[in-house]
């Protein structure tokens, strides 16, 4: 029970460290009393036992005799390989007696127990914030001091945590060592694999507060709920316009600047974002990788395929807050809402008329310009509007067809 209460009655007289259990305290005291007569000839480090020296020397020789049964990794100690294999087996042998939660490592259980006790024994001297482990405090201190001791071997980018640096380096090496056993898709990080696996089991734990939709990721839920709340957290500092997504703000800023830094190496066309360039490149390759699950129609872009599939499912998830009407696309909803707001953003440059949709303005301008883009194939007569061409074909050419 002392683990839960935080009581540590056993204090080492030599270093002042305290312990909650007597056997741990006794084991610790041996570190002060043992004679370390076994010395490493490579680095001079000494050990109380010959077996400890032998294990240590494997660092210098590179010997790793204990191999993982599931992957190609190997280790110097048998205990370390047993702990590593829990990553593959999913074994969590350490259980919290208070809430029943299980953990892969004992250290994770010890940190978790502090949640129940409310203890934060490790305090930052800079800001006074308490932490449950010395490891978390150590990483926090690097943020305070802006220390980034871990540098990428390939590009020199620096990180506060070694784990972050290792994950980053996988961008350069192409290593994706977290593999989905269902479809074979691989990832650089374990949390990304865990998130992906929810697709196969159908788990969607994050439920919308406004409708019956649910999502695999909390981030996707937050973005979705902005449709209901109307929240647009990203603001342009130049014109004050707000956006629902950060990427939309980025595109807007590039439009204002007129900058198009991404160039197609096939035709020389410039684009405002790498996403637009990537979508454009498919035109040159003629690849249509996104196939409709229902009819087999293929698309160059995933979002075009998703919107198309709503024709089959009947899904209209963009709902007007003013009336019961719903739409398959967000832009269609935005156009519709102008019926309620009276907004007419598309103004004619020739007269004082304005329109809710750009297509209506384009059609109207033909009255001023005299443009006639619709041509009759049999008699080569031209028309300003499609309905005029259809009426002409029906009246003049129906009998000859």
């Amino acid at each position: 029970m002392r683990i839960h209460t935080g009581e540590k009655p056993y204090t080492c007289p030599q270093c002042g460290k305290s312990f909650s259990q007597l056997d741990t305290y006794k084991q610790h005291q041996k570190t002060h009393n043992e004679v370390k007569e076994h010395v490493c000839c490579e680095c001079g480090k000494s050990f109380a036992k010959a077996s400890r020296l032998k294990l240590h020397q494997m660092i210098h020789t590179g010997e790793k005799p204990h191999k993982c049964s599931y992957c190609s990794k190997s280790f110097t100690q048998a205990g370390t390989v047993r702990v590593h294999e829990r990553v593959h087996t999913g074994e969590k042998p350490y259980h919290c007696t208070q809430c029943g939660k299980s953990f892969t490592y004992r250290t994770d259980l010890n940190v978790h127990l502090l949640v129940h006790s409310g203890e934060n024994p490790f305090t930052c001297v800079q800001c006074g914030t308490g932490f449950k482990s010395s490891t978390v405090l150590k990483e926090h201190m690097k943020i305070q001091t802006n220390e980034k001791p871990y540098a990428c071997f390939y590009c020199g980018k620096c990180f506060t945590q070694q784990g972050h640096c290792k994950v980053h380096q996988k961008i350069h090496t192409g290593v994706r060592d977290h593999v989905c056993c269902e479809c074979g898709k691989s990832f650089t990080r374990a949390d990304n694999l865990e998130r992906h696996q929810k697709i196969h089991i159908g788990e969607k734990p994050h439920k919308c507060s406004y409708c019956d939709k649910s999502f695999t990721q909390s981030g996707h839920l937050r973005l979705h709920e902005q449709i209901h709340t109307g929240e647009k957290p990203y603001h342009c500092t130049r014109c004050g316009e707000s956006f629902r997504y950060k990427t939309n703000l980025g595109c807007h800023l590039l439009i204002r600047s007129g900058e198009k830094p991404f160039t197609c190496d096939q035709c020389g066309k410039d684009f405002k974002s790498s996403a637009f360039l990537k979508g454009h490149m498919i035109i040159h390759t003629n690849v249509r990788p996104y196939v409709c699950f229902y009819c087999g129609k293929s698309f160059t872009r995933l979002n075009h395929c998703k919107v198309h599939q709503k024709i089959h499912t009947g899904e209209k998830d963009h709902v007007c807050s003013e009336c019961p009407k719903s739409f398959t696309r967000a832009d269609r909803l935005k156009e519709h809402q102008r019926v309620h707001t009276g907004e007419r953003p598309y103004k004619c440059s020739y007269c004082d008329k304005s329109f809710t949709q750009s297509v209506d303005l384009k059609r109207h301008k033909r009255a001023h310009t005299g443009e006639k883009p619709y041509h009759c194939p049999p008699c080569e007569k031209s028309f300003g509007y499609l309905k005029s061409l259809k009426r002409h074909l029906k009246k003049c050419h129906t009998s000859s067809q």
Side-chain angles (χ1 to χ4, degrees):
M1 290 301 292
R2 287 179 185 139
I3 295 171
H4 303 304
T5 61
E7 184 186 353
K8 294 181 177 181
Y10 305 105
T11 304
C12 175
Q14 296 191 54
C15 67
K17 198 170 183 181
S18 299
F19 300 88
S20 57
Q21 297 179 36
L22 180 60
D23 58 344
T24 312
Y25 164 68
K26 286 180 177 178
Q27 190 67 34
H28 165 77
Q29 282 194 317
K30 288 180 181 178
T31 59
H32 298 296
N33 302 330
E34 286 178 329
V35 177
K36 297 182 177 180
E37 56 185 10
H38 303 281
V39 182
C40 175
C41 59
E42 292 286 336
C43 64
K45 197 170 183 181
S46 57
F47 300 87
K49 296 178 182 178
S51 58
R52 294 290 182 198
L53 171 60
K54 188 178 179 182
L55 283 173
H56 164 77
Q57 286 175 326
M58 289 178 182
I59 296 169
H60 301 297
T61 62
E63 184 186 355
K64 294 182 178 181
H66 304 284
K67 300 186 185 301
C68 174
S69 309
Y70 302 91
C71 70
S72 59
K73 281 193 172 183
S74 56
F75 302 86
T76 55
Q77 298 181 45
T80 310
V81 76
R82 282 198 298 271
V83 170
H84 162 77
E85 285 182 343
R86 290 176 195 156
V87 175
H88 302 289
T89 62
E91 184 191 0
K92 295 182 177 181
Y94 302 102
H95 310 285
C96 175
T97 54
Q98 295 205 39
C99 66
K101 198 171 182 181
S102 299
F103 299 87
T104 307
Y105 310 109
R106 184 189 292 276
T107 51
D108 291 343
L109 171 61
N110 291 338
V111 171
H112 167 78
L113 290 171
L114 291 170
V115 173
H116 295 297
S117 68
E119 186 183 357
N120 288 316
F122 302 94
T123 307
C124 173
V125 294
Q126 299 281 337
C127 65
T129 307
F131 298 91
K132 297 193 184 330
S133 74
S134 59
T135 306
V136 178
L137 171 60
K138 191 178 178 182
E139 297 306 328
H140 167 79
M141 289 301 294
K142 287 172 187 171
I143 296 166
Q144 294 286 83
T145 59
N146 202 28
E147 181 190 355
K148 294 183 177 181
Y150 305 104
C152 173
F153 177 78
Y154 300 94
C155 68
K157 190 175 181 181
C158 295
F159 299 85
T160 55
Q161 297 181 37
Q162 187 178 25
H164 292 173
C165 183
K166 284 182 176 178
V167 169
H168 162 80
Q169 286 183 154
K170 289 177 182 177
I171 296 168
H172 301 290
T173 61
V175 173
R176 291 173 170 260
D177 47 354
H178 301 283
V179 183
C180 175
C181 56
E182 293 286 334
C183 66
K185 196 172 182 180
S186 57
F187 301 85
T188 56
R189 292 167 51 175
D191 58 340
N192 288 345
L193 170 60
E194 189 178 344
R195 204 158 34 232
H196 161 79
Q197 286 174 325
K198 288 174 183 175
I199 296 168
H200 299 298
I201 61 177
E203 184 187 351
K204 293 184 177 181
H206 306 285
K207 300 185 186 301
C208 177
S209 310
Y210 303 92
C211 69
D212 57 359
K213 280 194 122 179
S214 55
F215 300 85
T216 56
Q217 298 179 41
S218 59
H220 291 171
L221 170 62
R222 281 196 300 273
L223 288 174
H224 164 78
E225 286 188 336
Q226 287 172 12
I227 295 168
H228 299 290
T229 62
E231 183 189 0
K232 294 181 178 181
Y234 302 102
H235 311 286
C236 175
T237 54
R238 295 180 181 179
C239 68
E241 192 173 351
S242 299
F243 300 88
R244 186 170 292 136
Y245 308 114
K246 192 175 182 178
T247 50
N248 290 352
L249 171 60
C251 287
H252 168 78
L253 291 172
L254 284 170
I255 291 166
R256 286 190 66 88
S257 67
E259 186 184 353
K260 293 183 178 182
F262 302 93
T263 305
C264 173
D265 58 6
Q266 299 285 324
C267 64
K269 196 173 181 181
D270 297 323
F271 297 89
K272 291 180 171 61
S273 74
S274 58
F276 289 160
L277 173 59
K278 190 177 178 181
H280 163 81
M281 290 303 292
I282 295 170
I283 296 168
H284 296 297
T285 59
N286 201 31
V287 174
R288 302 170 78 88
Y290 305 105
V291 181
C292 173
F293 178 78
Y294 300 94
C295 67
K297 190 175 180 180
S298 57
F299 299 84
T300 56
R301 296 183 184 179
L302 178 61
N303 63 321
H304 291 174
C305 183
K306 283 181 176 179
V307 169
H308 162 80
Q309 285 183 152
K310 289 177 184 178
I311 296 168
H312 301 289
T313 61
E315 183 186 358
K316 293 184 176 183
D317 51 350
H318 300 283
V319 184
C320 178
S321 56
E322 297 291 329
C323 71
K325 267 198 156 186
S326 57
F327 302 85
T328 56
R329 290 165 51 177
D331 58 338
R332 294 283 184 245
L333 170 61
K334 191 175 180 180
E335 285 177 355
H336 161 78
Q337 285 174 327
R338 290 175 187 146
V339 173
H340 302 294
T341 62
E343 183 190 2
R344 290 172 169 263
Y346 302 102
K347 301 184 189 302
C348 178
S349 55
Y350 299 95
C351 68
D352 58 357
K353 277 196 173 184
S354 57
F355 301 86
T356 57
Q357 296 181 40
S358 61
V359 66
D360 292 338
L361 172 61
K362 191 177 179 181
R363 194 182 298 118
H364 163 78
K365 276 187 173 181
R366 291 177 196 146
H368 299 290
T369 62
E371 183 191 1
K372 296 181 178 182
Y374 301 102
H375 308 286
C376 173
C379 67
E380 295 184 358
K381 198 173 181 180
S382 298
F383 300 87
Y385 307 99
L386 181 61
K387 63 181 180 182
S388 301
L389 170 62
K390 286 181 177 178
R391 196 186 305 119
H392 165 78
L393 287 167
K394 188 177 180 180
K395 184 179 178 181
C396 302
H397 302 288
T398 304
S399 57
S400 60
Q401 288 178 351

